[in-house]
Amino acid sequence: MTPEQAVRHLRRANALARASMEAGHHPFAALLVAPDAETVLMEQRNVDTVNHAEAVLAREAARLHAPALLWDCTLVTTVEPCAMCAGTQYWAHIGHLVYGLSEKRLLELTGNHSENPTLDLPCRAVFDAGQKAIQVVGPVPEVEDEIASLHRYFWRRFPPLR
C-alpha cells in the first residue's frame, strides 16, 4: 500500500468513525483492504467498549475469507489497535496493519475516561510476541489531527459513566 492509498483509506475509516460517533458510539472504525491495496472488502464501525471495530472486523474476515487471502490484506484503522484487537488480527491471519493515531496519543486525548481505560501496550509489542511477522505502518502524520479532532470532541462532550 502506498502512502497515498493509506491516507485515502484512513480518511474513509475516519468518516466511518464520525458516523459511529453520530450514532452514539465511540469514534473508532476499521476497513479490510484487499491485496490490491484499493478494494475495500469490509468496513466496521465501533460497536461498544468490548466489541471494538478492529476485533469485530477481524473475526468476521476470518469467518468469510481464507487465511491465504487475509495474509495479503491490510486492516486499516483510525487508532492503533489495543491488545485485544491486535491479538484478534494476529489470530485472524491479517498480515498488514495501517493506523492513523497512536494509542499513546489517544490516551492523551481521553485521559482517565472510564469508557476508554487505555492499555499502554503498543500493537507492535503484541505482534512481536507472536510467530507471524505482521507488517505495521503507523501512526500516519497526514491524518493524525483529523482523527484526533473527533476524539477531542467526543471524549470531552460525553462524561465518563460511573
Side-chain angles (χ1 to χ4, degrees):
M1 182 173 292
T2 67
E4 294 78 17
Q5 289 169 316
V7 167
R8 186 167 27 85
H9 289 308
L10 282 164
R11 286 189 170 130
R12 181 171 177 172
N14 202 40
L16 287 172
R18 179 178 297 282
S20 182
M21 180 181 73
E22 290 169 353
H25 300 284
H26 297 168
F28 300 97
L31 311 173
L32 181 66
V33 179
D36 67 4
E38 286 294 329
T39 306
V40 175
L41 299 174
M42 299 175 67
E43 297 179 338
Q44 181 64 54
R45 298 184 328 199
N46 204 62
V47 177
D48 56 36
T49 57
V50 175
N51 294 291
H52 299 177
E54 302 90 344
V56 171
L57 182 141
R59 283 191 295 272
E60 186 65 5
R63 189 180 74 75
L64 294 174
H65 302 288
L69 171 69
L70 291 176
W71 186 248
D72 293 327
C73 288
T74 303
L75 192 152
V76 176
T77 183
T78 53
V79 177
E80 179 178 8
C82 71
M84 173 183 68
C85 293
T88 306
Q89 176 180 350
Y90 177 87
W91 288 109
H93 205 63
I94 301 169
H96 304 268
L97 170 68
V98 172
Y99 66 86
L101 186 75
S102 73
E103 185 84 351
K104 280 202 180 294
R105 179 87 189 276
L106 178 65
L107 178 58
E108 292 170 6
L109 297 169
T110 63
N112 65 350
H113 200 289
S114 60
E115 289 189 42
N116 196 55
T118 303
L119 289 168
D120 186 14
L121 183 59
C123 67
R124 285 175 174 89
V126 174
F127 296 142
D128 287 346
Q131 298 177 31
K132 301 175 190 178
I134 307 287
Q135 301 299 308
V136 179
V137 173
V140 176
E142 293 88 343
V143 295
E144 281 184 279
D145 287 339
E146 296 168 40
I147 294 168
S149 70
L150 282 184
H151 289 277
R152 271 192 294 277
Y153 174 78
F154 181 85
W155 298 106
R156 289 184 183 148
R157 184 168 178 217
F158 298 100
L161 298 175
R162 304 260 185 238

